[in-house]
Amino acid sequence: MPTPTGPAPGDDQPPRDLAEVPSIEVISRAALMLLSAAAEKLGLAEEDPAGSPHRDLDEARRLITALAGLITAAGEYLGPHAASMRDGLQALQRAFREASAVPDEPGQGPGEKFTGPVH
């Protein structure tokens, strides 16, 4: 049984069967969801990230690591979007390091086992 993908918020297009969705779209949407969720868990949507009620560095670590694995594994398929996704990932990794009371050693931060140290 085909599984439909739901429309994006504000999207008036009808759902499509997953079989009809190109793999690059699935990968890109997954990466954007991970990126957005990690930013929320870092509190980056708030004027004062440290005061965000959504801030959760443990959750952010998991999301950033998953994003790093996905971007590293699928980088060759992301085409012109690969560079901007890597930039977004590095920005999250730096924001995580800045938010941590006790920063990880270089190479030990979230996703750094896939990307290498981020300073």
Side-chain angles (χ1 to χ4, degrees), residues 27-53:
I27 294 167
S28 295
R29 284 186 181 206
L32 287 173
M33 180 176 278
L34 289 166
L35 191 132
S36 297
E40 286 286 339
K41 295 298 183 179
L42 287 170
L44 299 178
E46 303 292 327
E47 191 171 312
D48 175 21
S52 172

Side-chain angles (χ1 to χ4, degrees), residues 50-118:
S52 172
H54 303 292
R55 190 170 197 167
D56 184 333
L57 296 183
D58 288 335
E59 288 287 307
R61 177 183 294 278
R62 292 179 186 118
L63 293 162
I64 294 168
T65 299
L67 177 62
L70 177 61
I71 289 175
T72 301
E76 67 182 288
Y77 306 118
L78 295 173
H81 305 291
S84 61
M85 293 220 180
R86 278 192 293 272
D87 290 346
L89 169 60
Q90 288 178 352
L92 289 173
Q93 289 171 309
R94 283 192 296 276
F96 184 93
R97 185 170 295 284
E98 290 173 12
S100 297
V102 180
D104 296 310
E105 292 293 321
Q108 301 301 309
E112 291 182 1
K113 67 181 176 182
F114 299 112
T115 65
V118 175

